[in-house]
Amino acid sequence: MHSDKKITKEDTWRPADLRRHIREEGLGDDYVKKRDDNERKHRAGESIERRRRDPEKESRRERDKPRDSTRERRDEDKKDRYADRRKEGSLDRRGVKERDSRDDRDREKRRERDKLVDGKRYDDDYKRKEREHEKERDKERHRDKERERDRERGNEEGKDKRREERDKERRREERNREHRTERERRRHEESGDGERDRMEKLEREKRDRHRERERPKDEYQVKRNDKERRERHGDRKHLEVKEEREHKEEQRRHGEEKERIPKERGYDEKRKHDSESRENRDLKGSGKEVRHHGGDRDRAERDKHKERRHREEEKPERNHHRDGTISKKAASDKSHKHETKTEVSNDEDLADQEYEDDFEKLDYEEDFEEMDESANEDEDEEEPQPPEVGEEREELTEQKRKEIEAIQRAMDEENERVGTAQSRQIPSKKEEERPKWSGGSENSQSRASPRGKFIDFVAAKQREVSKKVATKQKKRSTELLRLIDLDFSMTVSLLDLPPVNEYDMYIRTFGTANTKQAYVQCNEDNADRDIQTEEIEVCEKWTQHPPEHNGACGDPNLSQEARDKSEMNFDSRRLTAFLRSASQVMVVLLEEDRAERKSLSKLRSQTDTLSFSDGSLQLNTKLPFLYGRRISLVHFSQVQRHTMMSVHRPTTKPSAVRLDSCTIICIWNIWEPSRPQKVLVYESEVQCCCFSPGKAIMVFAGTSVGSVVLWDLREHTSDHYSLKIGEDEWTFRQPTFSTDAVMAGSGHFSSVTSVEAVPSTVAGGLRPEVPLLASEEESAGLSFQLASLDEIGVLNFWVVVELPKANEAGSPTDLGLRPGGKVKLLHSSQLLTAERVSPRDAAKTGPLQTLHFKFLPTDSNHFFIGTNMGLVNHETSHGLKAPPKFYRFQEAGVRPVDITSIHFSPFRQHLFLVGCGDGSIRLHAVSHEQPVAEWKNSTAGEPVVSLQWTQTRPTVFCVLDAASNLHIWDLLKNDSEPVVTERMDSDRVTAMAVFGDSGQQNTYSGIALAHESGNIEMQYFKRHFTVAITAEEDKLESVMAEAF
Amino acid sequence: MEGSDTYLIRPNHQYKFKSAIVKECIREIVRERLSGMLYDSEEVSELSRSLADDIKDKVKNAGFDRYKLVVQVVIGEQRGQGVKMSSRCLWDADTDNYAEDVFMNDSLFCVVAVFGSYYY
């Protein structure tokens, strides 16, 4: 084979030879590559890059194994492609290049793809390889034969390509195997070294030694130097190949070179490679070179030394191929250099070679693994080294850069020289060199590529992993996407903040800046509270059973109400009072008018009968309850001259009205003669009566039973018992107050003969000009005294008290007061007035009887009592007795003559007339005991019943005697006998009273005559009896003066 | 072999992304962190980042199994400007969901959106 090759090399290249040559070359290349690889593994530890990746390596060791296998496969592939390409012949270089680069890429991909299924793949590969190995082993035995056959066939190029390929493949396999075994051997050799330190030391020593040895070599063996340089270059390249790209580039270049080989046959391959290396070096860039210079240099030297050693080993190998002796020699060669270590390695080498040659590769896998592990171990072990190396490198840099430059220059020169002398070079040398070179180049390539691949791995691993994951995910996603529907979600509004307009913004930021609270509302909690329910009104009421008239019920609050009512009703009361009086006036006027017409006609008719009468008026006494009653008294009010009262005695005749035993007193208004204004009732006989002083609002009466009774004429008619007689309803008034049995101790025990109201000291009340309506007097509680005289001379003074309020229920204290009555009598004092003139007189005349009494109109302290002795006692109610003590007849002596009447002159109030029972009439002056005048027998011996001064003429008085003769005296005309004497025999006059009013324009004067029949006749005097004459009072004065 | 792979293409109901719960998480954190805060443009980027992390951690602990979470926090100053934010997703509406919450005070607004995407 050698010879063949050599021959062919020296001669012109035949295609077959070339092919074979290349095959061998490839074989050698591979071999060298592997070896270099191993070397690299030793040295690689020194590289910074590797050190950097060491941690990763640990984790990736597992993965490296398969990768190694794939690397081998890739190599195979490459070879395949290479062969194919070669078959295709001359192709466009460019295209090839591109394809190569593409292939590289493909390779990468494939590697990755392979990794995905590594386990399985690995097994497959392994099996396949084993199979192939077996096959190849069989074939290998025939290889030599085949080759020879090939060569014999020589120029017959019509060789079956298939077979060629198969061969090639076979060869490649073999090469791989060799390569692997070689590597193994190396590793064993090195691992055998054991201690790292020792290794280092040895290496250093070796290096030094080699350097010494190198110099001579360099000097005379330029070629070798060149080679070394190339190797160094390769080493450097290996060091520098950190970037994959560069690495790839390099690979591609190698690829190119390989391609170029068949094409440019004329060229010396060595030269090509030189230039290429130069190119590479240039390409790598000086900066990098410079950077690694020291290291390079150092390493280069070490490499050189090693290469040399290897070359020495290779040379025998190549030359003698599987000659164990030679290799042994080389090993021994080495061993004598490196003492102990080399021996081991030699043994190993030997064993390896033997193994490589003959041994069936049963332990291939194990070895392989072992190798990897050892490699890794080496790497691990080498870790601590780099710093030292780095230091060394730095020390060396400066000195050695120059050296390196010099060497480079030398290399360039040699390259040129080689280029020119290419054709002339000795084939043998070339031949010899070529493998070396190719080994170097291949070494650089293989060294670079595995190294590059490795680096690539580390870097690519990540990519690979991510790609793996990506593909996995992609697969996932493709599978999942079938299952899943993706859809667009609704557009979701995450935030929609409307812009604030400027005003709002302004207000928000500055709106409150200048404001302040200007007012505060306080007292918010002062709320009103309302109570919905209303207060319950409560009032007290009382009731009485059985109900009597309207006072059966009432209430204490009524007073208030009543007062209010009274105040409110005051006007109405006044109105009713007014109406009453007004109506009375109207009635009076009407009746007057009627009566006047009647009386006028009557008067004319009666003119004859009564000479003094100007007319008469008949009071309507024809009432059922007055029927058959005798009138005992007729009395006129001194103030209200038109008011008259008539006392009707009880009758013995039975009548329809059951008031027989009662005395009836009728109050008349003389201008209203048709009916009495009020009717008063008393159970017993009334002896005397009088009106209240002032207005005729009360009537007092003294009774035969010794009681004093009082009627309040103001009481309402409803308070009294009313009786319907015929068509008219009459109210019979019971006395308001009665002293009957009430004041037993202080009352009268005999019949009361006279009652007189005590005139007030102020004599105003006596004046006739008292207004008709004395409302003040009426309403104001009037208070005056009343005196009552009984037969035995007991004079009682009473105080008339008007209660402020009437009590309907009656008074428990005032038992004499009628329920509802307001006026009562309080006993004031009692006087015993019966004084005998002398005891002798009394004895003569019997007991003294007080028959009549009068108060002095001007002084209420003085009162005059008419007695049954014909004397008028003059007494005072209090104080000293005033003279004269009594008023007597003109002749001395006492006669038992009753004083029937005493009457003071309304004009001369100190003059009074006294009528006696013997018919004599005396005119007395208060100051004198003896009378001013005495007229005897004027009545013809008839007792005087009543005598009265006329109201209008001071000198005229009327005398009624018991024989019903009326005598009218006019002292002015005749002071010795009466002017007129009328005898009324037909109907006897039982009582008479003079009335008249002089104060007013229509002066009238008359006399009321009560007849026996019960009629009351009002006779008006004629004009000469009515109208006063100016000389009258003077006449009276003259009479008085004449008398005293 | 791969054809026989089984996939869990729907989350178990109890692990499903529930936006109400997430919203509550967001609200809680945002209220806690942002109440009374004033907008500070320098702090806000850091703030939003930490907010997003907090929210993400919290939501992770909420037990949404096999969910990939995306938390988006936007903090802006309130100056009366109009803001409109919206999102649109291409997803599997059966499994994926989102939750968002807006926090506002006088000075700033904060929009937090958490998207949960189911990892088949």
Side-chain angles (χ1 to χ4, degrees), chain A residues 473 475-476 479-480 483-501 505 508, chain B residues 2 7 9 78-93 98 100 102 104 109 111 120:
Chain A
Q473 284 175 348
K475 193 182 70 185
R476 260 179 89 82
E479 281 176 28
L480 279 164
L483 303 170
I484 292 156
D485 294 326
L486 291 183
D487 50 3
F488 276 107
S489 68
M490 293 285 287
T491 301
V492 184
S493 177
L494 296 177
L495 176 66
D496 194 355
L497 206 63
V500 179
N501 65 40
M505 194 65 202
R508 203 161 70 180
Chain B
E2 286 164 0
Y7 296 106
I9 63 164
Q78 283 254 53
R79 281 203 170 269
Q81 80 280 25
V83 183
K84 220 173 172 79
M85 270 181 69
S86 55
S87 68
R88 193 154 194 214
C89 310
L90 172 62
W91 63 18
D92 182 359
Y98 82 103
E100 55 99 11
V102 181
M104 291 224 247
F109 65 89
V111 183
Y120 298 104

Side-chain angles (χ1 to χ4, degrees), chain A residues 47 215 217 255 300 375 432-433 450 552 559 581 654 704 769 874 899 902:
Chain A
S47 94
R215 243 159 241 160
K217 263 185 218 162
E432 210 180 35
E433 248 180 41
S559 61
S581 55
S704 59
E769 306 87 28
H874 177 207
I899 300 297
I902 300 168

Side-chain angles (χ1 to χ4, degrees), chain A residues 123-136:
Chain A
D123 290 342
D124 289 348
D125 277 358
Y126 172 66
K127 280 169 195 164
R128 188 163 51 93
K129 267 173 214 161
E130 265 200 329
R131 247 188 345 261
E132 280 172 358
H133 282 308
E134 280 176 348
K135 216 184 350 182
E136 280 169 53

Side-chain angles (χ1 to χ4, degrees), chain A residues 494, chain B residues 26 70-74 85 98-101 111-115:
Chain A
L494 296 177
Chain B
I26 298 168
V70 178
V71 181
Q72 184 187 22
V73 176
V74 176
M85 270 181 69
Y98 82 103
E100 55 99 11
D101 192 37
V111 183
V112 179
V114 176
F115 300 93

